[in-house]
Amino acid sequence: MRTPCLVINFKAFKEGTGKSALKIAEAAEEIANKLNVCIAVSPNFLDLKDIAKRMSILTFAQHMDAVEEGAFTGHVTAYQIKEAGAGGVILNHSEKRVELDCIEDMIELAKKYELTTIVCANEVEIAKAVAVLNPDFIALEPPELIGGNISVSQAQPEIITKLVDEVKKYNPKVKLLVGAGVKTKDDVKKAIELGTDGVILASGVVKAKDVYQAIEDLASGLV
Amino acid sequence: MRTPCLVINFKAFKEGTGKSALKIAEAAEEIANKLNVCIAVSPNFLDLKDIAKRMSILTFAQHMDAVEEGAFTGHVTAYQIKEAGAGGVILNHSEKRVELDCIEDMIELAKKYELTTIVCANEVEIAKAVAVLNPDFIALEPPELIGGNISVSQAQPEIITKLVDEVKKYNPKVKLLVGAGVKTKDDVKKAIELGTDGVILASGVVKAKDVYQAIEDLASGLV
Amino acid sequence: MRTPCLVINFKAFKEGTGKSALKIAEAAEEIANKLNVCIAVSPNFLDLKDIAKRMSILTFAQHMDAVEEGAFTGHVTAYQIKEAGAGGVILNHSEKRVELDCIEDMIELAKKYELTTIVCANEVEIAKAVAVLNPDFIALEPPELIGGNISVSQAQPEIITKLVDEVKKYNPKVKLLVGAGVKTKDDVKKAIELGTDGVILASGVVKAKDVYQAIEDLASGLV
Amino acid sequence: MRTPCLVINFKAFKEGTGKSALKIAEAAEEIANKLNVCIAVSPNFLDLKDIAKRMSILTFAQHMDAVEEGAFTGHVTAYQIKEAGAGGVILNHSEKRVELDCIEDMIELAKKYELTTIVCANEVEIAKAVAVLNPDFIALEPPELIGGNISVSQAQPEIITKLVDEVKKYNPKVKLLVGAGVKTKDDVKKAIELGTDGVILASGVVKAKDVYQAIEDLASGLV
């Protein structure tokens, strides 16, 4: 995935399902082309293949299981994700936490099928441990910025730079996304200025009154 | 779902993923039309929408989560399944067991979105408890027939008839599929003669050398 | 377990751990003897054996795993519970939900080791399904009485009697405890008048300012 | 925990439950005193308090939950473990894997209640990630030595020394136990010579014909 980038997680929102999912993905693609920036989308499992096949932008599965293939009813595999035409997978999201051992197995399976991995971590210690497992990206949610009114651009710059420094000490190659406190173009701009490789967000786009405008505003921070 | 029927679970087999999944579904559709019988397919989540949109036969998701919609990364909802054009969902498969409370919530959510439910049960006591929760179908795996060489047509008929009677006592309206010991046309025929409404199977079709022939043989037992 | 009875769940409250757990159990024993009623206690796993060995009243484990014995680090077995001198086990508590299949296995294992089973159910449909699995007791939490200010004695009597009738239809032998809306002697009295076999509660006793008085008040409703 | 040490995990073996558990612990204590070495035992939850109270040797819980206290039926907390008189806790055993986030929370809770932590890891990458989270001990199971006939003393010394070096790079303070390939006094001796701080094992002691002799043989390798 080209960086800096904006990743949009559709979660299981109705506003990000079916035709609505396609509409968000189309807006993302149009804006990515217009501004010449990298925007990726992560629809639910059922919409993933359709969007991956139609769109030129990168698509991510929201999760996968730590099995390669076989008699595993209801499981999502790296092979399925690859066959669907998707480019990567989000792992260990706070709404889908996985066992430490599975994270390692998942990263290995994703690599085997050439899928880009984004592993979520909501504390700096977790991020450092994840860095050791060598994913492509870590999505950091700085505790100070979760669920509050403080955004990246308003926060003390040290919060982000310290986080980046600490994680890079354990793995200088891993790329970092900010996953909390991002609401505007200025937040995106600031996050990148402070050393991260992009941002990941969900409801700020998926539940926006004007999805196109929301994406365009955020994406213009990547330029 | 029209009965008697044959349900094919693709699990996470490579032979049931992507183009191979589509090929199995196409064979199932062709044979269903040719023999005028009911055949349903259950591809993995990522292939489900594509197959549901292309095919006239009924499609089932292999699992779903007990949430309606919202901030649930990596979850599969009844709404997504409905939007994908699928007709139902398999629940509580032995490879994806769920908590008792979730089964009830799932059945309710499936009903809300007009999805047909097949709940798996591998012991007669479990099947009776599931019957109380009022799903459309219960997929029974008679313990005597699991993983062995004895098939429905060779087993003592009492094994099946007793099972059917016991479950129907708790819910006379629930329909029953046999999920073990089914390998040939004769097994399908016998299962239906003994009072069940169809069969569900996986590797016997998905990993067959000649998938078309395997489905045709089994489906001819429905006539 | 003799009925009617009062079951006190210590959960993982600090006020119900260690010496405090012993104190609650001693109060329960004293009051059980004084009023000649049945009171049972369910301490955490670590306090269970100590209390079971010292006390003449019945003790319950708060959960158990669906394995009999073996290489299962961190698991609690029916054999361990029996060896500890406890008399029973609470299963499927809303804070420790288990898979449907496990509930059946657990009930079977508990019976093998002569442990009394109390299976929790917070909806009437769940209670009916559980009744089929034939535990000794079902702890019902009538949805209308959970977390609200309405107690059993203030509620419409039909709420309880209908619940009792519905569950007994599926298993006339199973005994029923009420697990919500019980705060006073009058609630206990009313619950029993309406056809239940006792009550189960936690913070109302464990976090009471005067534990002895709280137990005595509730237990006097059993007389 | 004084090092080098021998940790005995009783798992859920019947031979390590109740009176048999006490007998193993007594043998361990006697041998620890006789040889003046450190031996710790990890009984099941129900036997833990009794053994912790009677014995002078260190005792470990086999698992704990990532909650501090409260309305958590069937949960084991650091507070309970401390109150029971135990000295530490085994975390993330392969038979009780936990989510990455929980491991961090558990280590923090254990530290708060001054419990020694042993976190299990069965691959070197996992061990390195765990090292970042700063537990007291990591129990390593070198993949080459699991379930096979090769023991530590017969293996190429590089297998162990490389493992030790790699993990210490991420956390020079963390102590290391070997958890596979240990059967005799020579294995224990060799493990310590190669830079580890002790060994952890289960069935080799618990299911031994002569438990006393088995412990004495292994413990003599610590001298």
Side-chain angles (χ1 to χ4, degrees):
Chain A
M1 183 158 58
R2 190 158 58 101
T3 55
C5 61
L6 165 65
V7 181
I8 305 166
N9 176 3
F10 295 7
K11 298 197 174 185
F13 291 123
K14 279 197 178 179
E15 299 89 341
T17 299
K19 277 174 202 162
S20 305
L22 190 59
K23 227 174 130 183
I24 301 173
E26 284 169 344
E29 184 179 55
E30 196 177 314
I31 295 160
N33 290 335
K34 190 162 84 175
L35 303 182
N36 190 25
V37 294
C38 176
I39 306 178
V41 292
S42 184
N44 67 62
F45 294 139
L46 275 66
D47 288 319
L48 182 62
K49 185 176 175 176
D50 186 33
I51 289 175
K53 296 292 186 200
R54 288 168 188 254
M55 300 286 130
S56 60
I57 57 174
L58 207 60
T59 52
F60 281 81
Q62 291 178 15
H63 174 67
M64 82 180 214
D65 291 287
V67 295
E68 185 158 2
E69 73 102 32
F72 298 105
T73 298
H75 289 58
V76 173
T77 66
Y79 178 74
Q80 289 166 12
I81 295 171
K82 190 68 183 177
E83 284 292 297
V89 59
I90 298 172
L91 299 172
N92 198 43
H93 192 280
S94 61
E95 292 148 19
K96 200 81 185 176
R97 289 295 187 217
V98 288
E99 298 168 4
L100 171 55
D101 302 74
C102 288
I103 297 178
E104 209 227 341
D105 292 345
M106 287 166 168
I107 291 174
E108 226 166 282
L109 284 164
K111 284 193 177 150
K112 177 168 177 183
Y113 290 97
E114 299 178 320
L115 298 170
T116 299
T117 47
I118 301 174
V119 182
C120 302
N122 64 351
E123 292 192 38
V124 66
E125 295 306 312
I126 302 293
K128 282 151 63 176
V130 167
V132 174
L133 300 177
N134 208 23
D136 296 303
F137 287 82
I138 297 177
L140 292 169
E141 301 184 316
E144 295 90 342
L145 305 182
I146 293 178
N149 288 318
I150 298 173
S151 66
V152 172
S153 57
Q154 295 162 324
Q156 312 253 355
E158 301 87 64
I159 290 175
I160 305 286
T161 50
K162 207 188 139 200
L163 203 52
V164 172
D165 287 351
E166 288 213 43
V167 175
K168 295 266 178 175
K169 232 186 284 173
Y170 284 88
N171 184 338
K173 279 190 250 168
V174 76
K175 288 178 182 156
L176 300 173
L177 304 181
V178 176
V182 178
K183 283 163 189 170
T184 64
K185 173 187 172 172
D186 284 348
D187 297 331
V188 175
K189 220 171 187 145
K190 196 76 185 174
I192 290 158
E193 272 175 34
L194 295 172
T196 70
D197 303 285
V199 302
I200 178 167
L201 77 179
S203 58
V205 166
V206 180
K207 294 176 91 83
K209 275 186 198 166
D210 185 332
V211 166
Y212 191 98
Q213 198 187 296
I215 300 176
E216 193 167 29
D217 177 52
L218 291 158
S220 63
L222 298 172
V223 182
Chain B
M1 184 158 58
R2 191 158 57 101
T3 55
C5 62
L6 165 65
V7 182
I8 306 166
N9 176 2
F10 295 7
K11 298 197 174 186
F13 291 123
K14 280 197 177 178
E15 298 89 340
T17 299
K19 276 173 202 162
S20 305
L22 190 59
K23 227 175 129 184
I24 301 172
E26 285 169 344
E29 183 178 57
E30 198 179 313
I31 295 159
N33 289 335
K34 190 163 84 175
L35 303 183
N36 190 26
V37 294
C38 176
I39 306 178
V41 292
S42 183
N44 68 63
F45 294 139
L46 274 67
D47 288 319
L48 182 62
K49 186 177 175 176
D50 187 32
I51 290 175
K53 296 291 186 200
R54 288 170 188 252
M55 300 286 128
S56 60
I57 56 174
L58 208 61
T59 52
F60 282 80
Q62 291 178 15
H63 174 66
M64 81 180 216
D65 290 288
V67 297
E68 183 156 4
E69 74 100 32
F72 298 104
T73 297
H75 288 57
V76 173
T77 65
Y79 178 73
Q80 289 167 12
I81 295 171
K82 190 69 184 177
E83 283 292 296
V89 59
I90 297 172
L91 299 172
N92 198 44
H93 192 279
S94 62
E95 292 148 18
K96 202 79 186 177
R97 288 294 187 218
V98 289
E99 298 168 4
L100 171 57
D101 302 73
C102 288
I103 297 178
E104 209 227 339
D105 292 345
M106 287 164 168
I107 291 174
E108 226 167 280
L109 284 164
K111 284 193 177 151
K112 178 168 176 182
Y113 290 98
E114 299 177 321
L115 299 171
T116 298
T117 47
I118 300 174
V119 181
C120 302
N122 64 353
E123 293 193 37
V124 66
E125 295 306 311
I126 302 293
K128 283 150 63 175
V130 167
V132 173
L133 301 176
N134 208 22
D136 297 305
F137 287 82
I138 297 177
L140 293 169
E141 301 184 317
E144 294 91 341
L145 305 183
I146 292 178
N149 288 318
I150 298 174
S151 66
V152 173
S153 56
Q154 295 162 322
Q156 313 252 353
E158 301 85 66
I159 290 176
I160 305 287
T161 49
K162 205 188 140 201
L163 204 51
V164 172
D165 287 352
E166 287 213 44
V167 176
K168 295 265 178 176
K169 234 187 281 172
Y170 284 87
N171 185 338
K173 276 191 252 170
V174 76
K175 287 175 184 159
L176 299 175
L177 304 180
V178 176
V182 178
K183 283 163 190 171
T184 63
K185 174 187 173 173
D186 284 347
D187 296 332
V188 175
K189 218 169 189 151
K190 195 78 186 175
I192 291 158
E193 272 176 31
L194 295 173
T196 71
D197 302 284
V199 301
I200 177 167
L201 78 176
S203 58
V205 166
V206 180
K207 292 176 94 80
K209 276 188 197 166
D210 185 332
V211 166
Y212 192 97
Q213 197 188 300
I215 301 176
E216 193 168 28
D217 177 52
L218 291 159
S220 62
L222 297 173
V223 182
Chain C
M1 183 158 60
R2 188 157 60 99
T3 55
C5 62
L6 166 64
V7 181
I8 305 166
N9 176 3
F10 295 7
K11 298 196 174 185
F13 291 124
K14 279 198 178 180
E15 298 91 341
T17 300
K19 278 174 202 162
S20 306
L22 191 58
K23 228 173 129 184
I24 301 172
E26 285 169 344
E29 184 179 54
E30 198 178 312
I31 295 160
N33 290 334
K34 191 164 83 175
L35 303 183
N36 190 25
V37 294
C38 175
I39 306 179
V41 292
S42 184
N44 68 61
F45 294 138
L46 274 67
D47 288 319
L48 182 61
K49 185 176 174 177
D50 186 33
I51 289 175
K53 296 291 186 200
R54 289 168 187 255
M55 300 286 129
S56 61
I57 57 174
L58 206 60
T59 51
F60 281 81
Q62 290 177 16
H63 174 67
M64 82 180 214
D65 291 287
V67 295
E68 183 156 4
E69 73 102 31
F72 297 104
T73 297
H75 289 57
V76 173
T77 66
Y79 178 74
Q80 289 167 11
I81 296 171
K82 190 69 184 178
E83 284 292 295
V89 59
I90 297 173
L91 298 173
N92 198 42
H93 192 280
S94 62
E95 291 147 19
K96 202 76 184 179
R97 288 295 187 218
V98 288
E99 298 168 4
L100 171 56
D101 302 74
C102 289
I103 298 178
E104 209 228 339
D105 291 344
M106 289 164 166
I107 291 174
E108 226 166 281
L109 284 164
K111 284 193 178 153
K112 176 168 178 184
Y113 290 98
E114 298 177 324
L115 299 171
T116 298
T117 48
I118 301 174
V119 182
C120 303
N122 65 353
E123 292 193 39
V124 66
E125 296 305 312
I126 303 292
K128 283 151 62 174
V130 166
V132 174
L133 301 176
N134 208 23
D136 296 304
F137 287 82
I138 297 177
L140 291 169
E141 302 184 315
E144 295 90 343
L145 305 182
I146 293 177
N149 289 317
I150 299 173
S151 66
V152 173
S153 57
Q154 294 162 325
Q156 312 253 353
E158 301 87 64
I159 290 176
I160 305 286
T161 48
K162 206 189 138 199
L163 204 50
V164 172
D165 287 351
E166 288 213 43
V167 176
K168 296 266 178 174
K169 231 186 286 173
Y170 284 87
N171 184 338
K173 281 190 250 170
V174 76
K175 287 175 182 161
L176 299 174
L177 304 180
V178 175
V182 177
K183 283 162 190 171
T184 64
K185 173 187 173 170
D186 285 347
D187 297 331
V188 175
K189 218 170 189 150
K190 195 77 186 174
I192 290 157
E193 274 175 32
L194 296 173
T196 70
D197 303 284
V199 302
I200 177 166
L201 78 179
S203 58
V205 167
V206 180
K207 293 177 91 81
K209 274 184 200 168
D210 186 332
V211 166
Y212 191 97
Q213 197 188 298
I215 300 176
E216 194 167 30
D217 177 51
L218 290 158
S220 63
L222 296 173
V223 183
Chain D
M1 183 159 59
R2 190 158 59 100
T3 55
C5 61
L6 165 65
V7 181
I8 305 166
N9 176 4
F10 295 8
K11 299 196 174 186
F13 291 124
K14 280 197 176 179
E15 298 89 341
T17 300
K19 277 173 202 163
S20 305
L22 191 58
K23 227 174 130 183
I24 301 172
E26 284 169 345
E29 184 179 55
E30 198 179 311
I31 295 160
N33 290 335
K34 191 163 83 174
L35 302 183
N36 191 25
V37 294
C38 175
I39 306 178
V41 292
S42 185
N44 68 61
F45 294 139
L46 274 66
D47 287 319
L48 183 62
K49 186 176 176 176
D50 186 33
I51 289 175
K53 296 292 185 200
R54 289 168 187 254
M55 301 286 129
S56 61
I57 57 174
L58 206 61
T59 51
F60 282 81
Q62 291 178 15
H63 174 67
M64 82 180 214
D65 291 287
V67 297
E68 184 157 4
E69 72 103 32
F72 298 104
T73 297
H75 288 58
V76 173
T77 66
Y79 178 74
Q80 289 167 11
I81 296 171
K82 191 69 185 176
E83 283 293 296
V89 60
I90 297 173
L91 298 172
N92 199 43
H93 192 280
S94 62
E95 292 148 17
K96 202 76 185 178
R97 289 293 187 219
V98 289
E99 298 170 4
L100 171 56
D101 302 74
C102 289
I103 297 178
E104 209 227 339
D105 292 345
M106 287 165 169
I107 291 174
E108 227 166 278
L109 284 164
K111 284 193 177 151
K112 178 168 178 184
Y113 290 97
E114 298 178 323
L115 299 171
T116 299
T117 47
I118 300 174
V119 181
C120 302
N122 64 352
E123 292 194 37
V124 66
E125 295 306 312
I126 303 293
K128 282 150 65 174
V130 166
V132 174
L133 300 177
N134 208 23
D136 296 304
F137 287 83
I138 297 177
L140 292 169
E141 302 184 317
E144 295 90 343
L145 306 182
I146 293 178
N149 289 319
I150 299 172
S151 67
V152 173
S153 57
Q154 295 163 322
Q156 312 254 353
E158 301 88 63
I159 290 175
I160 306 286
T161 49
K162 207 190 137 198
L163 204 51
V164 172
D165 287 352
E166 287 213 45
V167 175
K168 295 267 177 173
K169 232 185 284 173
Y170 285 87
N171 185 337
K173 279 190 252 169
V174 76
K175 286 174 184 160
L176 299 174
L177 304 180
V178 175
V182 178
K183 283 163 191 172
T184 65
K185 174 187 173 172
D186 285 347
D187 297 330
V188 175
K189 220 171 189 150
K190 195 75 186 175
I192 290 157
E193 273 175 31
L194 295 173
T196 71
D197 303 283
V199 301
I200 177 167
L201 76 179
S203 58
V205 167
V206 180
K207 292 176 92 82
K209 274 185 199 169
D210 185 332
V211 166
Y212 191 97
Q213 197 188 296
I215 300 176
E216 194 168 31
D217 177 54
L218 291 158
S220 63
L222 297 173
V223 182

